[in-house]
Amino acid sequence: MAKEKRCVECGHKVKSLLIQYSPGNFRLMKCENCNEVADEYIECELMVCLLNIQLMIFCFVGFHQNLIFLLFSFYQIIFIDLILHKTKAYRHLLYNVFTQETVYVQHLLWKLVLAYLLLDTYRSLLLRRTNDESSVPISFVLASLEVLVNVLSANFAFVLSFALASKIISIGASRGKEILLGIFISSYIKIFLFAMPVWEFPVSVIFIVDMLVLTSNAVALKVMTESTTSRCLAACFMAHSIKFLADQISGSRSLKHLGSVMYLPFIFKNV
């Protein structure tokens, strides 16, 4: 990840984001390049820290509803800007939050890979539940193996195709681990899939979430590589398209294979 902080407005490197004189008394620094506040989201994070301390104190004396409301409000400011694909929110997240000083990149990468695979597995399970076209009886173990093979093969194709697309379009090919980490972080939109069983959304919402993940990956790639929007969109579109095709191919093949395996006992029994 980044070693130096960045201005969320222009992306220029800055020495520091704020000067803190005492708890609750600080001054946000301005960027020397654009003369704007380097990171306005830092104020939200500091207020969240102060509210967390106050909530710990109020836990001993009583419940304070207003503090919890303010706490969620400050988090919502950053989260809404991320959903709106604002580049300054992505710069704040990728440069000023996840840095080499605050996180260990290797451990964070493995955790994000696991979370990414779990969310993709959940997506495949949602599609399987809504797909009633298959009449082949498959046990739970075989169905789980099929989903696991589909997810692993599709994501393996995604990583390879993304690396290939980055080299072809010449965007951040030498920063593979850092770029991959940014892609996984910017795929946070997948968590909206958990809302589908609650509100009974149609299957098309899954593909809408996929499109939002694609555009979010493109914004993160643009922020980290400072490349053009068209190049970043092209790289992400190529990678996600190959992932979708790999998922469809592996799914159809594994379904036929598992179906033939399930019918083998019946064949030998009749013989």
Side-chain angles (χ1 to χ4, degrees):
M1 297 304 291
K3 296 181 180 179
E4 298 181 358
K5 307 290 185 180
R6 296 290 185 102
C7 171
V8 299
E9 299 292 340
C10 64
H12 192 266
K13 295 181 181 180
V14 293
K15 296 180 180 179
S16 61
L17 300 175
L18 72 142
I19 298 178
Q20 187 167 0
Y21 303 103
S22 61
N25 185 15
F26 56 88
R27 179 167 65 91
L28 299 179
M29 301 299 294
K30 288 188 176 182
C31 174
E32 297 178 355
N33 184 48
C34 62
N35 203 29
E36 296 288 340
V37 175
D39 193 347
E40 59 187 12
Y41 298 108
I42 292 294
E43 185 176 5
C44 298
E45 292 185 353
L46 290 174
M47 293 303 298
V48 166
C49 293
L50 291 175
L51 288 173
N52 280 327
I53 295 173
Q54 294 181 26
L55 279 174
M56 292 176 63
I57 296 174
F58 275 105
C59 283
F60 295 99
V61 296
F63 181 78
H64 203 281
Q65 187 176 2
N66 292 333
L67 286 178
I68 296 181
F69 175 76
L70 289 174
L71 187 65
F72 281 102
S73 298
F74 285 122
Y75 277 123
Q76 286 175 358
I77 293 174
I78 302 175
F79 190 65
I80 290 174
D81 284 352
L82 286 172
I83 295 176
L84 294 175
H85 290 11
K86 291 187 177 181
T87 55
K88 61 180 183 179
Y90 281 82
R91 287 196 184 102
H92 166 77
L93 185 66
L94 298 173
Y95 284 114
N96 299 338
V97 175
F98 295 105
T99 64
Q100 292 183 350
E101 298 176 355
T102 58
V103 296
Y104 185 58
V105 177
Q106 195 68 28
H107 289 173
L108 179 62
L109 183 59
W110 283 113
K111 291 178 181 178
L112 288 174
V113 167
L114 180 60
Y116 191 89
L117 292 176
L118 288 175
L119 288 171
D120 260 12
T121 303
Y122 182 70
R123 173 189 176 277
S124 298
L125 291 174
L126 287 176
L127 286 174
R128 172 177 290 276
R129 191 188 68 173
T130 55
N131 186 13
D132 298 326
E133 296 179 358
S134 176
S135 59
V136 179
I138 302 177
S139 66
F140 175 77
V141 176
L142 292 178
S144 301
L145 287 175
E146 180 192 346
V147 171
L148 182 61
V149 169
N150 291 351
V151 170
L152 290 178
S153 59
N155 281 283
F156 181 73
F158 172 74
V159 173
L160 287 182
S161 58
F162 187 83
L164 181 62
S166 299
K167 289 184 178 181
I168 294 175
I169 306 177
S170 300
I171 47 172
S174 60
R175 301 160 55 195
K177 185 183 295 185
E178 183 179 346
I179 298 298
L180 191 61
L181 188 61
I183 292 298
F184 287 146
I185 292 174
S186 61
S187 300
Y188 64 92
I189 299 179
K190 287 178 178 288
I191 62 176
F192 287 106
L193 292 173
F194 289 115
M196 288 195 60
V198 179
W199 287 302
E200 298 181 354
F201 288 130
V203 188
S204 57
V205 174
I206 297 178
F207 301 103
I208 294 175
V209 170
D210 290 341
M211 293 300 298
L212 289 175
V213 170
L214 190 154
T215 54
S216 178
N217 291 160
V219 175
L221 189 62
K222 178 183 177 181
V223 166
M224 300 187 71
T225 61
E226 297 181 357
S227 183
T228 59
T229 304
S230 57
R231 286 188 174 187
C232 296
L233 276 174
C236 293
F237 181 77
M238 289 173 60
H240 281 275
S241 298
I242 293 176
K243 177 184 176 181
F244 177 78
L245 291 176
D247 184 36
Q248 296 298 314
I249 294 172
S250 62
S252 60
R253 287 183 177 179
S254 59
L255 186 61
K256 292 178 181 178
H257 177 71
L258 290 174
S260 62
V261 171
M262 288 296 297
Y263 279 120
L264 281 177
F266 299 100
I267 295 175
F268 286 109
K269 185 177 179 180
N270 293 330
V271 173

